[in-house]
Amino acid sequence: MITFFAALAILIAGYFTYSKVVERIFGPDDRPTPATTMTDGVDYVPMKQWKIFLIQLLNIAGLGPIFGAISGALWGPVVFLWIVFGTIFAGGVHDFLSGMISIRHRGNSISEIVGIYLGKGMKTVMRVFSVVLLVLVGTVFATGPAALLAMLTPDALDAGFWLIVVLIYYFAATLLPIDKVIGKIYPFFGICLIIMALGVAGGIIIQGYTIPELTLQNLHPKELPVWPLMFVTVACGAISGFHATQSPMMARCITSEKQGRSIFYGAMVAEGVIALIWAAAGVAFYQSTGGLQEALAAYGGQGGVVYEICNTLLGPAGMVLAMIGVIACPISSGDTAFRSARLTIADWFDISQDKMRTRLYITVPLLLVGLLLSQIDFDIVWRYFSWSNQTLAMIALWAGAVYLCRNQKNFWIAAVPATFMSAVSATYILMAEEGLRLPVAFAYPAGVIFAAACAVVFYFKAVRPPQALRPEKM
């Protein structure tokens, strides 16, 4: 229990200390934001700070800090270290920089930002990579909730019926102004996500469950290696490239740059807290990592585990919160994924989105592709998403490092986590089942060499060149 409370305290302290360091380095000022200079009533819509925070939290969270943390808990309390320090030094920096740099560049999507700071070649890669990733996320987060809704309703309302219903909602959320659908329901579901996490934490503590103390021992029942598998599995609870696709949406709604720390970095810390709670609950509720593994197998995955934990700890109210968690939260990630895909394509081809007709040109094909992809078994594809997600985070961090370097700011806050995530992504794809399946003896040093090579390229391309590339004028 001491480890859990210490980890929680460090997370909160990290927000009140390190986030201020990151903010001071970046230097928010009083310049007008895109929300005030480019207001279009659709995507560029000024909103209140508290509402943007809750929308950002649900945008980046959804099921990520729940499902990823539960899976990460299979390695034991060592997962607490990654959630805490990953959130403070990697995830928070990643989200803050991707959102703030977007504000400085007219609310541009992450692919356009990467193009500015990492070159045209990377921009093309990121455009395709981002759209494919977002459509995959949107599709999976349509089929999963549809299947769950089919289990809770009469046989006539099967998964196919609910899939159409979910996609119709996605159509509205992707097409309509951000304050008409997302701005109205997201704050409510964001509050539900927080209440569910706090309720679970209270239930675990009050009802006397034992949260194990920190050990660096690998407790995974299948003896899967901590490095790099745990760092990819937890994903959203520590750092996630998906966040870089979501932050620009809120960058178009913020009315002051000085709100950025609480919205971007703050939402990431809140997600880290939620992930920490669920990681602790997963191993405490089932008394061991082996018990958690058996529960995951018995209940068909994390959804069943979430349902049992909430129902047992919180009773009928917990059951309702669990249903919101495993149905509404993924839907909330899916709709913003499709909306981000629309904005990425619009930025790519410079298509104005102030008219309904031009939004339809992009939205309809995207959702048709999602409908077609929903017929495919995504169990295998989703595993590739985990790696793709962390690779996107790596790229976004390198773009942030170059931005800071060009503006003669302390780039180490981004370059260090970017180097670390380069090692994670490279090592994972080299040794994972869905990757090249190379032996550890090769994958580990190769991952380190790749990360070192990225750092060397960054030094010679961004740090060492004279003032020709610095500072950036905006």
Side-chain angles (χ1 to χ4, degrees):
M1 194 76 75
I2 295 175
T3 298
F4 172 76
F5 283 115
L8 183 62
I10 294 171
L11 260 179
I12 295 172
Y15 172 72
F16 287 105
T17 56
Y18 194 67
S19 73
K20 291 184 178 180
V21 173
V22 174
E23 180 185 48
R24 184 168 62 252
I25 289 172
F26 184 88
D29 54 35
D30 295 323
R31 74 183 68 190
T33 64
T36 58
T37 61
M38 302 174 63
T39 305
D40 63 1
V42 179
D43 298 309
Y44 294 86
V45 180
M47 288 196 285
K48 294 180 179 179
Q49 183 174 352
W50 68 268
K51 183 176 288 190
I52 298 175
F53 170 83
L54 288 172
I55 295 173
Q56 173 72 1
L57 175 61
L58 204 59
N59 276 355
I60 65 173
L63 284 179
I66 301 175
F67 279 21
I70 289 173
S71 296
L74 290 171
W75 278 276
V78 68
V79 73
F80 296 165
L81 293 177
W82 174 228
I83 291 173
V84 170
F85 295 108
T87 294
I88 294 172
F89 296 108
V93 176
H94 170 278
D95 290 12
F96 179 81
L97 289 179
S98 59
M100 295 302 292
I101 296 173
S102 178
I103 291 175
R104 293 279 173 95
H105 290 282
R106 305 172 65 249
N108 274 347
S109 304
I110 186 61
S111 56
E112 306 307 303
I113 292 170
V114 167
I116 294 170
Y117 294 103
L118 299 185
K120 293 182 179 179
M122 282 302 301
K123 176 165 67 174
T124 301
V125 170
M126 280 294 293
R127 282 169 168 173
V128 176
F129 190 81
S130 297
V131 172
V132 171
L133 182 67
L134 289 166
V135 171
L136 287 176
V137 171
T139 303
V140 174
F141 280 157
T143 55
L148 288 170
L149 286 167
M151 294 169 58
L152 300 172
T153 53
D155 292 342
L157 305 180
D158 61 8
F161 168 82
W162 285 112
L163 177 63
I164 297 300
V165 172
V166 172
L167 288 176
I168 290 173
Y169 164 74
Y170 282 2
F171 178 78
T174 304
L175 189 70
L176 296 176
I178 194 167
D179 58 334
K180 301 304 181 187
V181 177
I182 292 174
K184 284 184 166 54
I185 66 173
Y186 268 42
F188 169 75
F189 287 127
I191 292 172
C192 288
L193 184 66
I194 295 172
I195 292 174
M196 179 169 63
L198 295 178
V200 168
I204 289 291
I205 295 168
I206 293 172
Q207 297 182 36
Y209 289 88
T210 301
I211 301 175
E213 301 300 344
L214 178 64
T215 173
L216 299 181
Q217 182 181 358
N218 182 358
L219 301 180
H220 198 290
K222 296 182 179 180
E223 298 183 349
L224 297 179
V226 172
W227 175 269
L229 270 62
M230 186 190 73
F231 296 87
V232 173
T233 300
V234 174
C236 295
I239 180 173
S240 167
F242 178 68
H243 298 183
T245 69
Q246 303 301 293
S247 293
M249 285 198 297
M250 293 301 95
R252 303 182 186 209
C253 301
I254 288 177
T255 55
S256 170
E257 283 194 352
K258 295 178 181 178
Q259 298 172 355
R261 183 175 72 90
S262 62
I263 290 172
F264 298 124
Y265 201 110
M268 182 63 242
V269 170
E271 184 173 13
V273 170
I274 293 170
L276 183 68
I277 290 171
W278 277 101
V283 70
F285 188 84
Y286 295 104
Q287 301 181 357
S288 67
T289 57
L292 176 57
Q293 178 66 55
E294 292 174 2
L296 288 168
Y299 293 116
Q302 298 96 325
V305 167
V306 170
Y307 181 85
E308 184 185 25
I309 291 176
C310 287
N311 193 33
T312 302
L313 296 179
L314 304 178
M319 186 168 58
V320 172
L321 287 171
M323 286 301 96
I324 291 175
V326 298
I327 294 175
C329 285
I331 290 177
S332 70
S333 294
D335 62 12
T336 52
F338 277 113
R339 189 179 187 95
S340 293
R342 171 176 69 79
L343 294 174
T344 299
I345 293 173
D347 289 346
W348 185 348
F349 296 102
D350 195 21
I351 303 173
S352 174
Q353 296 294 279
D354 58 346
K355 293 182 172 57
M356 177 73 75
R357 182 181 69 257
T358 55
R359 299 202 298 276
L360 280 169
Y361 290 157
I362 302 175
T363 302
V364 172
L366 279 175
L367 290 174
L368 286 176
V369 170
L371 180 61
L372 292 173
L373 290 175
S374 68
Q375 309 307 308
I376 301 174
D377 183 358
F378 269 84
D379 287 342
I380 296 176
V381 176
W382 188 247
R383 279 184 262 159
Y384 285 101
F385 164 74
S386 296
W387 170 77
S388 303
N389 189 39
Q390 300 304 66
T391 301
L392 180 58
M394 171 196 79
I395 296 171
L397 279 170
W398 280 123
V402 174
Y403 168 87
L404 293 173
C405 185
R406 288 190 184 182
N407 287 276
Q408 299 179 321
K409 300 176 184 294
N410 184 351
F411 54 80
W412 292 110
I413 61 169
V416 171
T419 303
F420 180 83
M421 292 309 299
S422 298
V424 169
S425 297
T427 306
Y428 183 86
I429 202 63
L430 287 172
M431 63 181 288
E433 284 293 316
E434 57 271 23
L436 300 179
R437 303 184 184 183
L438 297 174
V440 168
F442 177 84
Y444 280 12
V448 172
I449 291 171
F450 175 77
C454 289
V456 169
V457 170
F458 169 72
Y459 174 78
F460 283 104
K461 292 289 187 180
V463 179
R464 189 175 179 183
Q467 301 299 322
L469 294 178
R470 306 181 269 128
E472 184 75 7
K473 293 182 179 180
M474 294 172 291

